[in-house]
Structures are given as structure tokens and as C-alpha cells.
């Protein structure tokens, strides 16, 4: 059988992460970046109004452009972008994950190279009923992380990857 170049193209993974992942990513964005930026802008504006009221005409727009708008933009755009990109799929011979929001990353790992499968739930993930599946392979590129899965989907995926990796013959050395 001869495969044409079009037949060799790999389609993007079809399984989406849980919609609750958007709320989790929004909270992460607020706690890690947007919240501190907005708090900094608020404190600087308050200090300027108390001690340097003459600075407000130029400091207000500067804070708006440098801190407030980027913080709000990140808070709104990052979760939507991540949700649009994050996907996964488990095939007969490989696990495939796509992620990122600004830098898109796609990883494919043959099931014959899977060493461990872990399910990780941080405190914020637990709050939203989410989990991350981490697939460790015999690769120097690192783990494959499938984030934003529901607890049930993560458990099922971990089980299926483990079973599939046992059924696939390993590479001959």
C-alpha cells in the first residue's frame, strides 16, 4: 500500500478539555498576573492621589496603558485562547496532546514508549473538579501533560493509556 503525502498528514486531536478549565485558567490568570498588576495600579494611583496629586494627569493614563489594560486583556483572552487550542486524543498506537495559548505545542508519544501515567489535582483544579494527566515517556522532550480534564475523564484516560501501553509491543533494542 502506497500512502500519498496527503494521507500522511496528521489531523489535530479532537477531544476537548472540560469547559470548566476556562474558569480555572481565569482564576490562575488573576492570581498569578492580572491581580497583582491591578493591585499595583490601584496602590500607585492611591499613593499618587494622597502624596502627589499633580502626577495623576500623566500617571493615570500611564497606569491604564501599562498595567490595567494588559492585565484585563490577559484575564479575558488567555483562558479563551487556551481552551480553543487545548485538546487530546488517544489512538491505538499513540497519545496526542495539543496545548498552549500564545505558543502552540503539539506532542505525540507512542504508547510503546510510555513509562508512567499520573493524575495530578492541584487545589484550584480540585475546586473546579478538574485534573491533569501526565504521561511520562522515554523521551528527552519531557512529559505530555493533558490539562483541564474532568476528574472522571482523567481517571478514564489514565486507565486507558495504561492498558493500551501494556498491549502495545515495545521497541526492540
Amino acid at each position: 500500500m502506497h500512502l500519498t503525502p496527503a494521507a500522511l498528514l496528521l489531523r489535530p486531536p479532537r477531544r476537548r478539555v472540560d469547559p470548566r478549565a476556562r474558569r480555572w485558567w481565569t482564576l490562575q490568570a488573576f492570581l498569578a498576573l492580572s491581580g497583582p498588576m491591578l493591585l499595583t495600579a490601584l496602590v500607585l494611583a492611591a499613593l499618587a492621589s494622597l502624596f502627589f496629586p499633580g502626577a495623576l494627569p500623566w500617571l493615570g493614563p500611564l497606569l491604564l496603558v501599562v498595567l490595567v489594560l494588559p492585565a484585563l486583556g490577559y484575564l479575558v483572552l488567555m483562558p479563551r485562547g487556551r481552551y480553543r487550542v487545548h485538546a487530546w486524543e488517544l489512538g491505538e498506537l499513540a497519545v496526542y496532546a495539543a496545548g498552549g495559548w500564545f505558543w502552540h505545542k503539539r506532542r505525540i508519544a507512542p504508547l510503546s514508549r510510555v513509562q508512567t501515567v499520573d493524575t495530578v489535582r492541584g487545589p484550584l483544579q480540585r475546586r473546579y473538579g478538574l485534573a491533569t494527566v501526565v504521561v511520562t515517556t522515554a523521551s528527552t522532550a519531557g512529559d505530555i501533560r493533558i490539562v483541564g480534564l474532568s476528574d472522571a475523564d482523567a481517571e478514564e484516560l489514565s486507565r486507558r493509556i495504561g492498558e493500551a501501553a501494556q498491549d502495545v509491543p515495545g521497541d526492540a533494542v
Side-chain angles (χ1 to χ4, degrees):
M1 178 173 155
H2 185 286
L3 294 177
T4 64
L8 295 175
L9 293 177
L10 187 64
R11 67 172 169 74
R14 293 183 180 161
R15 301 284 311 258
R16 309 297 310 161
V17 298
D18 193 283
R20 293 174 291 182
R22 286 181 288 201
R23 292 193 311 248
W24 170 52
W25 289 323
T26 301
L27 183 58
Q28 279 184 318
F30 181 77
L31 293 174
L33 185 69
S34 295
M37 288 174 72
L38 293 171
L39 182 61
T40 300
L42 181 66
V43 168
L44 288 173
L47 289 174
S49 67
L50 289 173
F51 299 109
F52 307 104
L56 284 179
W58 62 267
L59 184 60
L62 181 66
L63 292 176
L64 185 68
V65 170
V66 173
L67 291 174
V68 175
L69 292 178
L72 294 177
Y74 183 73
L75 193 63
V76 170
L77 297 176
M78 185 277 293
R80 290 179 183 176
R82 282 185 86 171
Y83 185 76
R84 201 170 33 253
V85 172
H86 276 68
W88 62 274
E89 193 153 335
L90 177 62
E92 292 181 29
L93 300 175
V95 61
Y96 183 9
W101 76 280
F102 192 70
W103 299 105
H104 295 190
K105 182 178 183 179
R106 294 182 183 222
R107 296 274 319 272
I108 301 168
L111 292 173
S112 63
R113 307 287 286 175
V114 170
Q115 293 178 336
T116 62
V117 181
D118 299 308
T119 304
V120 179
R121 292 174 186 88
L124 295 179
Q125 283 181 305
R126 285 194 307 267
R127 177 175 184 211
Y128 292 105
L130 300 171
T132 297
V133 172
V134 181
V135 181
T136 306
T137 64
S139 167
T140 58
D143 303 333
I144 292 181
R145 301 177 68 80
I146 304 171
V147 302
L149 299 176
S150 71
D151 284 332
D153 285 347
E155 289 300 324
E156 176 69 13
L157 179 61
S158 294
R159 183 190 61 74
R160 286 181 50 212
I161 291 173
E163 289 174 356
Q166 289 177 350
D167 292 342
V168 174
D171 295 336
V173 181

